[in-house]
Amino acid sequence: MSSTIDLNVRNATTGYDAVNVLHDVSVQAKAGNITCILGSNGAGKSTLVRMILGLTPARSGNVAFGETDITKTRTHKVIGKGISCIPEGRAVFPKCTVLQNLRLGAYGVESEDEIQNSLKNVYELFPRLHERKTQIAGTMSGGEQAMVSIGRGLMSSPELLVIDEPSLGLSPLFVTETFKIIREINNRGTSVLLIEQNVKQTLAISHYGYVLGQGRVVAEGTSKELSSSEAVHSAYFS
Amino acid sequence: MKILSNKIGIFAATAVLAVYVASLMHAESQLTVGILSVLFGSAWFIGDKTGASQMLDKGIKENGRFSSTMFLAAIIGVAIYLHDDHFNLLMLTTVMVFVIACLGLNIQFGYNGLLNFAGAAFFGAGGYTAAVLTQNTQIPHLLILLIGGIVAILIGFILILPVLRTRGHYAAVVTIAFSLLFRTLVEVSPALGGAQGSAVKGLNILGWEFNKNIDIAGLDISFYMNYFVLALILLLIAIAFSKAIERSWIGLNFDTVRLDETAAACFGVNIKRWKITAFAMGNFILGLIGAFYAMMLGFIAPNNFTFGDSLIMVSIILLGGIGSIPGIILASAIVIILPEKLQGIQEYRFLIFAVGVILILLFRPNGLIKRKMRQFPKTKAQGE
Amino acid sequence: MDGSRMDLALFSQYIVNGLMQGMVYALVAVGFTLFFGVLDIIKFSHGDVLTVGAFSGLTAYLALSGMGLSNPVVLLLLVIIFALSVTALLGMVVAKLLIIPLKQARAPALNILLITLMLGTVLRETVRLFFPNGSSSKAFPTLLPTGGIDIGSFSLRIDSVMLFVAGALIIVGTHFLITKTKLGLAIQAVAQDEETSKLMGINFDSIVLITFALGSGIAAIAGIMNGLYYNEINFSMGLLLGAVGFSAAIIGGLGNLYGAILGGFLFAGLQTFAVVALPIPTAYKDVFAFAVVIILIAWRPTGLIAEKYSERV
Amino acid sequence: MTNISLKATGVVKRFGGLVALDKVNLEVHNEEVLGLIGPNGSGKTTFFNILTGIYSTTDGKMEFRGKDITGMPPQAVFKSGISRTFQRARLCLELSVFDNVAIGDHPQLNQGLWFNIINRKAFRHEYGSCHDRVAELINQFAPHLSSKLNEPVGNFPMIDRRRIEVCRALLGNPKLLLLDEPSAGMTEEETRQLMDEVIDIRKKRGDLSVVIVEHEMGIISRITDRCVVLNFGKKICEGTYEDISQNSEVQKAYLGDDL
């Protein structure tokens, strides 16, 4: 069962207080694809995520998920439309157990059967979470928390998974592991919007990408095009 | 409108204010008081809307010394007008007592950001010191005022460790607990008169009996005029002290500690030192004026120093505008005079007061008169 | 007290009293902790919500017995339901109209603190002014069996046992709700991380409203318990109970359910200890308890039950 | 006397299970501009916070101009001559420009009660000289603010706040200036201007070293003499910008491994 809904951000501008961080950004995450957003610190990547999810609504332009305009939709309703998020820094609920974290990922799911099914899938992907399901998440290592966060993001069987800097603060070995899992998730039919600063591994697994710099899209293209493009390199080492 | 920004305007404004306060004090019927209150509210509102207030504000800023003198003259004028009126002189003096107490609290909380919900307890500590010392010793009364302040400082030091170690809500509970503790303590201590309270001797400075009516050239003047004059002097000192603090490096330290402890520490500010200083200064003022108040009333009881009274002091500061001296004066006047005068609403005064505070905090979160930017004294080089 | 051997019956009476008080304190503290958990605010009107609860209960009783209803079980049930509904609604209205908007406008914590303090005054004064003859104490009806069980020279009142068990059930029930149900999970999520909870699809505002309804409802129960135990309520009962409940929540560790319960019983324990074991007049028990609270806060500025995981995740 | 201003040896910082800094050795030479770079979460700001005493170290030692400053509280670190700016400009927005900058002069100002409250004449004198120094710095870094010293900082845009922050950090004549992401919230051009002014000051003062945390490599390449690269709390490389930008470890840290 493969996702069929595109996410479209059109000419969107947003920011905090008096300062605009994103200027006239247009991005598309095609159904079934892994789309990546690259850029160095402070380029506006996380703000883009916040805008899509309704945490920092767009000031102009719009965001649409398939036919539905979600520009002004409140966050908990955006999630209900089939988008799920693995937030920056993982943001597990530190005082909750692994199982509670996963169940919160399926908060909008009514059927217990579906939840059990999702749990089974997550445990299959991360057997370690099954072993540790009663552990308090805040006491786990960074890598384990990353598993919890990814697993939690999958619990609602989303159409689109938005992943914000999964490599942040993880050891290189685990970063590689995480990227493999993201590819696996995509292979099972979920579209992915991947926000990363780790260029090479990101481009290796994604289909299409955008490079943000100073809050604007400075380059876009298929991952092959971007891999050979100077724009990417210069977005980091200008 | 422009006339308001020069000396004539300021003179006229203070004159109007004096006449207004005098009539309010003098008003007997509830209708008159009601009309006068509404008048004040509408004048305030209209002044704000038409820009008259801003003009006046500008004028006061440009003619600082003149304005203060006028204002002082207005207060004295009102007092002279009320010279034989015990009740109203007492009320006017009580307002000044609260202004001074709140100026103390303001150093802690307006400048330094230290929450103190036990203002009435430190005020009471001074009061009970006065009660014990006037009853049992021959210590000169002026000295007793100072001792009242020192006792409040010492009692404050009991709390200093938790006050320094906590922030926010946790800090609030320390002073709230102390406030409740203090009240119960005085209520159940036979030595302090228990729930019935304790008598306090009236002030006597260098043989001058404050509790005797004065007779000057056949003019009968209420004995409260003595207290009025001393309170006014104390008030002027307290204002000068507050202003000196604010316009000094100490005031700057207080403000930075309040606004950003980490940044302040990174630039060499010793956070603990300034918190202790502010706490001690504030408590001293509270204790001193508490002793004065007890001696003026001649009697104190635990009911004067409840958590509710502490709350009224904090409300005065927030209503007036945190850190704002004119704001504290205005808010104290409103909070003390209005319920006394509006006997018709006497029964409802707490309710109205509480609703009023909520509304002001919601719609005017900076208080009635927002604190001005710090103005350091002008140096010669800055003449231009 | 002359320091000689204490009467066993009196001693037991103090213990029972202490346990009852501890239960009431704990129930109030649980409310403070819930509100702080979800919104990081102290709602100081909480003690007066308790008063409103007790008086609503009394109102319901007067109305129902006026209609001729006399079955104590039914009466008690209806009294509780009515009081619960009134306070739960009150809690939601306050949260919806005052606290959530203030939080969203990023009002200074101090302003919120003061607004809720003043709101408490409004509630208290409303009861005093508008309840018939509200400024004097009111007799609270006896709706529980009045008998006692004799154990030696000591008689244990049945109603105290029932009240204690009821309080314990409420606490256990709240604990169950928070830890074992989906709603509780959502409350926990909101308390730990507002933004991430929204990312889970949780409607933040409605969870906050439900939490306020819950905390306020528990306060009503505490108020009724207090009334049933002492057979008397008055308009200012919530003031001290609120302050004690707040202190209890703080010394336990704000935002922690166990901390609130621990704090509540600890405070009552201190009062009882002061009465039973210290050579000071009984009237000093609050002075002693509050003094220990201040010392505890100096020693453990963020409460007795500290968080187990590191701050930076 | 060696050429070393700051010497950090084996600095470790743990937050619970997370190792934010892992045995970092770092030297700042006298009068150099050192770039401290690395991807997000690599420990740059943590290093600043440890150095200035906001966090305590788990292990390691820091010497500044031959003096051990490990474990000193922030005030003491500042007094020894280390001054900083913050990633999210930490200014007191309600206070005036003058107030915010003047606090940077704290150790030089008489803090006595008598001096401040009673002896107003002496205070006014000291205020005057402090005012002159503040005005001079503001004139240099933000001339358009010279006439607005008494306006609240909250009225000004980010670029001005950054400038005010730099003035505050420079007022006390530090020997080591730490700049934490000065470009955050500013355009490239604005950052460039500000940095040019910082370099200018450094040249004038002579004995000032600068450590700058920055992700805008354009700025790093223009102004630094040397760079240290952190990744996962470890120092992975140091050298001139040209050297490090060619270094394969650094490229890996920024662009990632091949899968």
Side-chain angles (χ1 to χ4, degrees), chain B residues 191-203:
Chain B
L192 298 175
Q196 275 70 49
S198 167
V200 192
K201 279 192 189 153
L203 259 167

Side-chain angles (χ1 to χ4, degrees), chain C residues 27-309:
Chain C
L27 289 176
V28 179
V30 163
F32 275 108
T33 266
L34 284 175
F35 305 148
F36 183 78
V38 291
L39 270 189
D40 279 7
I41 58 129
I42 295 297
K43 186 182 159 235
F44 250 111
S45 50
H46 191 51
D48 298 296
V49 170
L50 178 149
T51 313
V52 170
F55 275 84
S56 319
L58 181 60
T59 311
Y61 170 78
L62 293 174
L64 291 168
S65 52
M67 287 189 289
L69 196 66
S70 61
N71 181 333
V73 179
V74 179
L75 266 175
L76 182 60
L77 210 63
L78 290 175
V79 160
I80 290 176
I81 290 172
F82 182 71
L84 262 177
S85 323
V86 169
T87 53
L89 194 68
L90 179 64
M92 287 206 275
V93 168
V94 167
K96 177 82 188 172
L97 296 185
L98 215 53
I99 294 173
I100 294 180
L102 280 169
K103 241 350 229 191
Q104 271 164 356
R106 288 190 230 155
L110 184 72
N111 284 20
I112 299 183
L113 190 80
L114 208 77
I115 285 176
T116 59
L117 270 166
M118 288 298 150
L119 183 71
T121 309
V122 170
L123 295 177
R124 193 160 60 243
E125 287 294 301
T126 306
V127 170
R128 184 175 74 87
L129 293 166
F130 300 112
F131 196 87
N133 197 10
S135 48
S136 51
S137 292
K138 296 271 166 268
F140 202 83
T142 312
L143 295 170
L144 292 172
T146 45
I149 313 165
D150 290 323
I151 309 164
S153 63
F154 166 61
S155 164
L156 187 62
R157 276 165 58 186
I158 291 185
D159 61 345
S160 1
V161 177
M162 290 176 76
L163 285 173
F164 190 81
V165 170
L169 284 178
I170 300 273
I171 287 181
V172 170
T174 309
H175 186 253
F176 179 83
L177 177 80
I178 300 284
T179 53
K180 298 279 188 262
T181 66
K182 189 169 170 180
L183 172 64
L185 197 54
I187 293 178
Q188 284 190 57
V190 164
Q192 290 171 50
D193 189 336
E194 172 182 338
E195 207 153 76
T196 309
S197 75
K198 289 178 183 166
L199 290 178
M200 299 297 112
I202 294 170
N203 184 341
F204 178 79
D205 284 8
S206 45
I207 293 297
V208 169
L209 292 189
I210 292 170
T211 310
F212 272 73
L214 178 67
S216 307
I218 294 175
I221 303 238
I224 289 175
M225 276 176 68
N226 215 51
L228 287 171
Y229 187 71
Y230 293 109
N231 291 115
E232 189 191 276
I233 56 175
N234 65 64
F235 76 96
S236 65
M237 64 193 284
L239 195 61
L240 189 67
L241 282 174
V244 172
F246 174 50
S247 309
I250 293 266
I251 50 177
L254 211 44
N256 182 312
L257 207 57
Y258 301 107
I261 298 161
L262 174 74
F265 282 102
L266 183 64
F267 196 94
L270 288 169
Q271 286 176 322
T272 310
F273 178 76
V275 171
V276 174
L278 292 183
I280 52 172
T282 308
Y284 282 100
K285 67 174 187 189
D286 287 352
V287 176
F288 173 74
F290 278 120
V292 175
V293 164
I294 292 173
I295 293 167
L296 282 177
I297 291 174
W299 173 49
R300 280 281 181 90
T302 53
L304 294 172
I305 298 185
E307 301 296 356
K308 279 192 240 38
Y309 57 92

Side-chain angles (χ1 to χ4, degrees), chain D residues 62-75:
Chain D
M62 282 164 306
E63 278 175 68
F64 179 59
R65 296 158 71 86
K67 202 169 110 194
D68 188 353
I69 59 161
T70 324
M72 274 190 184
Q75 311 80 290

Side-chain angles (χ1 to χ4, degrees), chain A residues 40-42 88 165 167-172 176 179 183 197-201 204-205 214 233 236-238, chain D residues 18 38-41 44 181 186-188 215-218 221 232 241 245 250-251 254-259:
Chain A
S40 64
N41 289 353
E88 187 185 336
E165 298 220 21
S167 74
L168 190 65
L170 292 183
S171 70
T176 309
F179 278 86
R183 183 151 60 184
Q197 46 175 345
N198 184 329
V199 177
K200 287 190 177 162
Q201 297 197 8
I205 63 164
Q214 302 280 344
H233 196 269
Y236 289 80
F237 296 99
S238 54
Chain D
L18 183 85
N40 244 352
K44 298 161 295 191
E181 292 214 19
M186 306 208 303
T187 67
E188 222 172 312
H215 60 260
E216 289 289 333
M217 293 302 164
S221 73
F232 297 114
Y241 180 76
S245 62
V250 178
Q251 301 235 352
Y254 270 88
L255 303 175
D257 277 314
D258 291 310
L259 198 61

Side-chain angles (χ1 to χ4, degrees), chain B residues 244 247-250 252-253 258-260 262 265-269 273-274 373-374 376-377 379 382, chain D residues 54 74-75 78 83-84 90 92 94 96 98-99 106 110-111 113 116 120 123-124 126-128 131 168:
Chain B
R247 298 171 182 187
S248 72
W249 305 136
I250 295 177
L252 181 55
N253 294 333
R258 180 183 83 244
L259 293 166
D260 191 338
T262 307
C266 281
F267 289 95
V269 178
R273 173 179 169 188
W274 298 113
M373 295 297 295
R374 185 198 326 282
F376 279 110
T379 57
Q382 279 174 269
Chain D
I54 295 176
Q75 311 80 290
F78 179 73
S83 185
R84 69 175 290 178
R90 289 186 88 142
C92 303
E94 298 171 23
S96 67
F98 173 81
D99 289 356
H106 183 87
N110 189 333
Q111 306 294 339
L113 293 184
N116 275 276
R120 298 293 286 173
F123 170 79
R124 256 192 295 261
E126 186 172 279
Y127 163 73
H131 186 275
R168 172 173 73 176

